[in-house]
Amino acid sequence: MTATSPAAPPYQEPAARPVPGRAGFGNLLASEWTKIRSVRSTVWSLILLVVVTLGFTALFTWLSVYNWDKTDPAQRAQVAADPVGTILGAGLFLGQLTICVLGVLVISAEYSTGVIRASLLAVPRRYPMFVAKAIVFAALVFVIGECVTFLSFFIGKPILASHVPVSLGDPGAARAVVGAGLYLTVLALFAMAIGALIRHTAGAITAVIGFVLVLAPLAQLIPGKIGKYVHAYLPSEAGQLVARQHQQADQVLSAWQGFGVFCLWTVVLLALAIYLLQRRDA
């Protein structure tokens, strides 16, 4: 008696392997928002931006009023010609340093901790991740920056009012206050681009601060029209023009022209950062 073999099971099509889906851009935005808000350096840098900007705005505006009678007439005329720039000037000048540091840390911290490898593994094409990070970071700084600049104006306005009354309805005043927040936003992207190019926190922060604080005095040492135009087209010098209420007589660029030059600097650096992100190993 021969053993019968069991009947073969009916043929079935092999189950299709699940195709890994690409991360949608909305998911990338949500991911970058989670990364940015969960890092302590972001919170502390923004707190410092608020404290430093508002504190020094109040302090230096009060000092200007307190020493008004002892101030040179030319300086008093300059304050009267641009009261919004006077109110925002010192606070914005020092507060922008926190944005420079934060812009670098947003990207360089991922390289120093190795998180960038996981980010690029999830997004093999790489540049969408960078674009999403830039959008989220710019939106965050824009909101905080505009809040800070408007608060600075409303803090300094009553202090300066005894000598130079000013209101948002004055010509160029609202544009200067809004422009100060726009300047901080583009500065954040400028710092982020340099951080992505250098990928080393200390080196990138040094480079950004060099652009913002060191190059302008050096450019003023160049004699003649060449030095004047080199100084005018430096990124931070051009960008800060949008935060001034009135254009000065010897000013090479108008407020929006200067802001456009700053935006062009930033776009070029961001494009170069994206190109190198595609070419270099993480």
Side-chain angles (χ1 to χ4, degrees):
M1 182 175 178
T2 59
T4 59
S5 59
Y11 175 77
Q12 295 180 348
E13 291 287 342
R17 293 182 179 179
V19 179
R22 295 180 180 177
F25 195 72
N27 293 332
L28 287 178
L29 293 173
S31 173
E32 293 302 327
W33 168 242
T34 300
K35 285 193 288 185
I36 287 177
R37 68 182 175 84
S38 60
V39 177
R40 284 182 294 178
S41 60
T42 302
V43 177
W44 284 109
S45 296
L46 293 177
I47 290 174
L48 280 175
L49 170 66
V50 175
V51 172
V52 169
T53 304
L54 299 184
F56 279 100
T57 294
L59 175 62
F60 281 96
T61 306
W62 178 79
L63 286 175
S64 298
V65 172
Y66 182 78
N67 296 313
W68 187 262
D69 295 332
K70 304 175 184 177
T71 305
D72 185 77
Q75 293 182 349
R76 284 186 288 184
Q78 186 177 1
V79 172
D82 188 8
V84 176
T86 301
I87 292 172
L88 300 179
L92 184 67
F93 180 78
L94 295 171
Q96 69 180 342
L97 297 180
T98 63
I99 294 296
C100 293
V101 173
L102 179 58
V104 170
L105 289 176
V106 161
I107 187 68
S108 67
E110 291 204 31
Y111 282 100
S112 61
T113 59
V115 174
I116 191 69
R117 297 187 184 92
S119 299
L120 298 181
L121 185 63
V123 190
R125 295 178 67 186
R126 296 191 175 194
Y127 74 87
M129 179 275 297
F130 190 84
V131 172
K133 183 185 293 293
I135 291 174
V136 171
F137 185 45
L140 175 63
V141 175
F142 175 75
V143 172
I144 301 297
E146 292 295 345
C147 291
V148 167
T149 54
F150 272 91
L151 284 173
S152 296
F153 174 79
F154 288 115
I155 286 173
K157 175 180 177 293
I159 300 174
L160 195 63
S162 59
H163 294 285
V164 185
V166 60
S167 71
L168 285 177
D170 295 342
R175 188 262 304 149
V177 177
V178 173
L182 290 173
Y183 168 74
L184 291 176
T185 303
V186 179
L187 179 64
L189 294 176
F190 182 85
M192 177 183 163
I194 293 181
L197 290 171
I198 297 178
R199 303 199 299 183
H200 185 272
T201 300
I205 290 175
T206 302
V208 176
I209 292 178
F211 265 106
V212 173
L213 298 182
V214 179
L215 286 183
L218 292 179
Q220 289 180 321
L221 299 177
I222 304 174
K225 281 190 174 182
I226 295 178
K228 182 178 180 180
Y229 276 85
V230 169
H231 180 267
Y233 281 86
L234 289 175
S236 61
E237 292 300 309
Q240 288 178 8
L241 295 179
V242 77
R244 295 178 186 172
Q245 187 174 354
H246 299 295
Q247 184 173 354
Q248 299 176 0
D250 60 344
Q251 201 170 293
V252 175
L253 302 170
S254 68
W256 290 116
Q257 286 174 342
F259 184 68
V261 168
F262 188 32
C263 289
L264 183 59
W265 272 91
T266 304
V267 168
V268 170
L269 289 177
L270 286 172
L272 182 59
I274 290 174
Y275 172 76
L276 292 179
L277 180 67
Q278 301 282 92
R279 305 281 296 181
R280 297 190 297 196
D281 293 333

